[in-house]
Amino acid sequence: MTKIKSFFQSFGLFTKLEFQKPYNYITSDYTNSEEKKLELHKVYLKEIENEENDRLNVIENKTSLLISQTGLIFSLLSLFIPFIIDKVLDFDLYLKILFIIVLAFAYLFYILTINNALKNFNVKSFNYVKNSPNSVLSQQELSVKKFLKMEIKDSLTAINNNISINNVKASNLISAYNSFRFGNIFTSVLVLFLCASLLFINPKPEEIRIENPIEIKQFKEYIETLKEQNLILKEELKTKQKDTTEISTTGNNVYKQ
């Protein structure tokens, strides 16, 4: 059961946003008061913040790219669906069912891809901690040491919070990637299925249907009647030919006399 749940969660299903802090420290535990060390610690923490900002840019760029690629494939697949369905109409029932299942899974995973990727653009769900200019205005009377110490504590809070947010966005991106990968797999299976069916499965012959056909009753009797009439006509023609021959012969004899 756990494996099945983790399998579905890998596609972003049955998951909730959980902003787990990567570090368990408390900012008030920072008690250093040496100015040189304060400067060094500030630079070190700023590097971590910059790295996390770069990580955020990478996540958002990959998310945008994944959405654009999925939208393109989704549009192309929808464009060729009428043509594909027209080819599948002549297949047997079990092949039609197989085709529908593969097509449905392909669409489902592409929809999951877009859904998981769009989660990263829900601004209300991600509250980043950043330095505020009000700190300078409200703490003008602080000494350099105290101000550096305050700035370091702010950085410690921001780093712990922002890393947890970026981890959630990275998880959404991974779920979107897994869905995109499976969508491509089912699309490839769909293409192979269509190619194989067109190459190895003979389409059903076209049937010509006559609407409101005329039913000829007693067809055999009708044929026999036509044959009898034909024989009668032949006998009449033979009789006429004999009469014509006899007349022409009698006329020639009279002329000779």
Side-chain angles (χ1 to χ4, degrees):
M1 189 68 181
T2 305
K3 291 183 178 180
I4 296 175
K5 185 177 180 180
S6 61
F7 176 77
F8 283 110
Q9 287 179 346
S10 65
F11 302 111
L13 298 172
F14 312 116
T15 57
K16 296 180 180 179
L17 291 177
E18 295 183 359
F19 299 97
Q20 296 181 354
K21 299 291 195 284
Y23 307 107
N24 296 323
Y25 59 74
I26 301 174
T27 55
S28 59
D29 291 341
Y30 186 79
T31 58
N32 180 65
S33 299
E34 297 182 18
E35 188 172 350
K36 290 184 179 180
K37 289 183 178 181
L38 289 171
E39 291 286 351
L40 181 63
H41 294 165
K42 174 187 172 182
V43 172
Y44 179 77
L45 293 174
K46 287 298 179 183
E47 286 293 328
I48 296 176
E49 285 189 82
N50 292 333
E51 290 176 0
E52 204 58 35
N53 289 332
D54 293 338
R55 181 186 175 215
L56 174 61
N57 291 331
V58 171
I59 292 173
E60 290 184 345
N61 290 335
K62 289 186 177 181
T63 301
S64 300
L65 182 62
L66 193 59
I67 291 175
S68 61
Q69 290 178 346
T70 305
L72 179 61
I73 297 174
F74 199 88
S75 300
L76 291 175
L77 190 61
S78 301
L79 181 64
F80 286 101
I81 280 299
F83 170 77
I84 296 172
I85 292 178
D86 183 61
K87 295 295 182 182
V88 174
L89 287 177
D90 295 332
F91 295 164
D92 295 329
L93 179 61
Y94 69 92
L95 289 177
K96 291 180 181 178
I97 294 174
L98 179 62
F99 167 79
I100 291 173
I101 292 173
V102 175
L103 181 63
F105 272 107
Y107 268 103
L108 174 63
F109 281 111
Y110 283 133
I111 291 173
L112 286 176
T113 301
I114 295 175
N115 182 62
N116 290 325
L118 287 177
K119 289 179 182 178
N120 286 348
F121 294 105
N122 187 5
V123 181
K124 294 181 180 180
S125 300
F126 306 106
N127 298 317
Y128 284 94
V129 175
K130 295 183 179 180
N131 294 330
S132 173
N134 290 326
S135 298
V136 177
L137 296 174
S138 60
Q139 304 295 336
Q140 297 183 52
E141 304 299 327
L142 288 180
S143 63
V144 175
K145 290 182 180 181
K146 289 184 179 181
F147 189 85
L148 287 173
K149 193 173 182 178
M150 181 195 69
E151 190 175 4
I152 289 172
K153 289 182 178 180
D154 289 343
S155 296
L156 289 171
T157 303
I159 290 171
N160 208 13
N161 181 81
N162 296 345
I163 289 177
S164 65
I165 294 176
N166 288 344
N167 288 342
V168 171
K169 285 191 172 183
S171 299
N172 292 335
L173 181 60
I174 292 172
S175 299
Y177 164 75
N178 291 333
S179 302
F180 183 73
R181 183 164 58 90
F182 272 78
N184 289 341
I185 290 173
F186 277 99
T187 303
S188 302
V189 171
L190 181 66
V191 173
L192 291 175
F193 169 75
L194 288 174
C195 293
S197 61
L198 293 174
L199 289 173
F200 301 109
I201 299 177
N202 295 324
K204 294 180 180 180
E206 296 183 359
E207 297 180 356
I208 300 176
R209 296 182 180 180
I210 301 175
E211 295 183 357
N212 301 324
I214 299 174
E215 182 180 359
I216 300 176
K217 297 181 179 180
Q218 299 178 349
F219 185 73
K220 291 183 179 180
E221 290 80 356
Y222 180 73
I223 295 297
E224 294 296 331
T225 302
L226 289 177
K227 288 181 179 180
E228 292 177 1
Q229 291 179 356
N230 190 24
L231 290 174
I232 293 171
L233 289 173
K234 286 183 179 180
E235 292 295 330
E236 289 179 355
L237 288 173
K238 287 181 180 179
T239 303
K240 287 182 180 182
Q241 287 178 354
K242 287 181 180 180
D243 293 341
T244 304
T245 303
E246 290 176 358
I247 293 171
S248 61
T249 304
T250 303
N252 289 334
N253 291 334
V254 172
Y255 178 75
K256 289 181 180 180
Q257 292 175 359

